[in-house]
Amino acid sequence: MPRWPHAPLHLLGDAGVYIVTGATHGRVPYFEPPERRTMLQDRLLETADHFGWRLQSWAVIPDHYHFMAESPGDATTLSAMVGALHSSTARWLNERDGTPGRRVWHQYWESQITFQRSYMARLGYVNRNPVKHGLARVPSEYPWCSAAWLKATASPEFVRAVASFKVDRVSVVEPGEPRRPRKPRQ
């Protein structure tokens, strides 16, 4: 029998909006101190632009990140984009720490968002992630998150709509957390 894959399958297909989570190896907070989160955020923005992915939200935490992005016509470029992001940031960290070849990234997970309500809830989830992890009181105060950008560029109605969605039952892979079983809809 073939061995079960140790990494998640990346079943990319249609163009659309995807949510992505990447985790550091062993959940080590490699992106602490703050200038390392700045580097990761800058590289995320640059790499997404280079591959033609339009970021819609992001949050960079010391041991993981989340982002939502609209794919170009070919969504299969996500693997190359994340690979480029992970390799460039790992090299940067390892050069500074004098640890060539150290494994920085564990893996990443993605899923395509196909419903408007799901889109809005996940947008809120990503922007509120720093608050969830105790890194900020309000999302827009956290500099490595898209919440302040959303607040400054979107209409007040849209910002209120995103904030109105409950995110406590949003099913997003959080590295290190057990998957919660979904409750059946009634």
Side-chain angles (χ1 to χ4, degrees), residues 3-185:
R3 292 179 50 185
W4 184 258
H6 294 279
L9 296 175
H10 299 289
L11 303 174
L12 298 164
D14 298 332
V17 175
Y18 287 78
I19 185 166
V20 178
T21 298
T24 62
H25 186 67
R27 293 296 304 265
V28 175
Y30 289 122
F31 297 95
E32 185 65 56
E35 57 269 9
R36 291 176 176 220
R37 288 194 296 281
T38 299
M39 180 277 300
L40 178 55
Q41 177 176 262
D42 291 349
R43 295 274 173 96
L44 172 61
L45 297 171
E46 293 163 6
T47 306
D49 184 58
H50 175 77
F51 281 87
W53 283 76
R54 291 183 43 218
L55 287 175
Q56 312 219 334
S57 67
W58 65 90
V60 173
I61 310 300
D63 62 356
H64 71 282
Y65 64 80
H66 300 284
F67 71 82
M68 287 176 53
E70 183 182 352
S71 73
D74 181 7
T76 63
T77 61
L78 181 63
S79 296
M81 182 184 89
V82 172
L85 175 67
H86 285 187
S87 64
S88 73
T89 55
R91 275 193 310 275
W92 188 93
L93 286 172
N94 288 341
E95 285 173 9
R96 271 138 194 88
D97 293 346
T99 55
R102 173 184 61 185
R103 186 172 176 195
V104 171
W105 293 105
H106 177 56
Q107 58 191 8
Y108 75 96
W109 302 264
E110 89 286 319
S111 63
Q112 186 174 17
I113 300 170
T114 56
F115 298 99
Q116 180 69 19
R117 291 183 58 79
S118 178
Y119 173 84
M120 297 293 281
R122 280 158 180 73
L123 196 64
Y125 180 88
V126 170
N127 281 314
R128 292 183 216 155
N129 204 251
V131 174
K132 174 184 177 182
H133 291 286
L135 300 170
R137 280 185 316 104
V138 296
S140 60
E141 291 177 354
Y142 189 71
W144 305 281
C145 172
S146 57
W149 169 72
L150 179 72
K151 191 175 177 181
T153 60
S155 72
E157 295 80 20
F158 185 77
V159 173
R160 280 193 298 276
V162 170
S164 74
F165 275 80
K166 292 185 183 241
V167 298
D168 57 334
R169 290 189 48 192
V170 170
S171 180
V172 172
V173 173
E174 273 287 343
E177 288 184 3
R179 296 290 292 185
R180 292 176 293 195
R182 289 185 182 208
K183 293 181 183 175
R185 287 191 163 175

